[in-house]
Amino acid sequence: EKESRLKPKYVPVKALAFIDSLNFAKKGKWHKEEGLTGISVEAKFKHDKAIYSVEFDTSGNVEDIEIEAKWKDLESDLRDAIFSQINTDCVKHKIVKVQKQYTGSESQLLSVLKADLKSQTLTIKYELIVRCRHQKKVDLFEYLFNEKGKLISISQIVFKNSSHLEY
């Protein structure tokens, strides 16, 4: 996954309209995300002390909303299931970031952003960035779990080699 800043004039009109309809004081920043499966556009902003990320396809259709969460705020059953999986994969680990991911219809996702309503028809997943030590090597991984803590996918985060000398 490669992420780069994007000027609002290059953002799909539909995506701009979706974010503008929220009427938040701060507009946030736009990013272009290039992954193995395609390209997406992402709006990142802070609202009510939470960090949000709204992902759109290249036509401006909303795909998902991610809200940064704290590990300790997750339910204990969910934490136990996730912890069990990570302990299986890693000798030692550190959870770097936790995000709660919502997917559903555009109107349902809009309601999550506007009033923090929890629709029963929304799909909720948890995305974690984990620093994992295994086989005498340390790597970063992105884990995706369902709302019960069942593993959906694991992706290794690969960093692009820098052409700059670092001291």
Side-chain angles (χ1 to χ4, degrees):
E1 209 172 81
K2 179 183 168 190
E3 197 172 273
S4 55
R5 283 292 303 269
L6 191 62
K7 292 183 180 181
K9 67 181 180 181
Y10 298 115
V11 173
V13 175
K14 194 173 179 182
L16 284 169
F18 183 89
I19 296 299
D20 286 344
S21 72
L22 298 172
N23 296 320
F24 290 160
K26 292 187 177 181
K27 292 296 175 199
K29 297 178 180 166
W30 290 95
H31 300 269
K32 177 181 173 184
E33 211 174 76
E34 297 175 61
L36 296 173
T37 57
I39 297 173
S40 63
V41 175
E42 195 170 39
K44 294 183 179 186
F45 54 91
K46 195 172 187 178
H47 179 67
D48 288 339
K49 298 180 183 177
I51 298 172
Y52 290 81
S53 174
V54 183
E55 192 166 351
F56 301 89
D57 64 16
T58 53
S59 300
N61 299 309
V62 66
E63 293 180 337
D64 64 50
I65 294 171
E66 295 174 341
I67 304 171
E68 209 164 298
K70 291 185 171 123
W71 174 252
K72 65 180 176 130
D73 293 340
L74 301 182
E75 293 178 18
S76 62
D77 291 346
L78 176 64
R79 282 196 322 257
D80 291 346
I82 291 172
F83 193 73
S84 174
Q85 177 65 49
I86 294 172
N87 274 341
T88 302
D89 299 342
C90 307
V91 173
K92 192 174 182 183
H93 74 273
K94 179 178 178 173
I95 296 171
V96 178
K97 184 178 185 181
V98 178
Q99 290 182 312
K100 196 170 186 178
Q101 184 185 83
Y102 296 92
T103 52
S105 73
E106 187 172 318
S107 61
Q108 292 168 326
L109 292 173
L110 196 56
S111 73
V112 167
L113 287 170
K114 282 189 170 183
D116 201 32
L117 301 172
K118 305 297 184 246
S119 171
Q120 295 298 323
T121 56
L122 280 172
T123 302
I124 300 173
K125 297 176 186 164
Y126 294 88
E127 184 179 285
L128 283 78
I129 304 296
V130 179
R131 184 178 300 118
C132 176
R133 188 168 72 92
H134 56 104
Q135 301 171 356
K136 298 182 183 180
K137 191 174 152 187
V138 178
D139 289 305
L140 273 180
F141 291 92
E142 180 181 281
Y143 281 80
L144 187 63
F145 295 93
N146 70 10
E147 73 280 357
K148 303 285 186 201
K150 186 175 187 288
L151 180 66
I152 296 171
S153 67
I154 303 174
S155 306
Q156 183 176 356
I157 298 173
V158 180
F159 294 98
K160 183 179 176 184
N161 287 336
S162 174
S163 60
H164 302 284
L165 291 175
E166 296 179 20
Y167 296 95

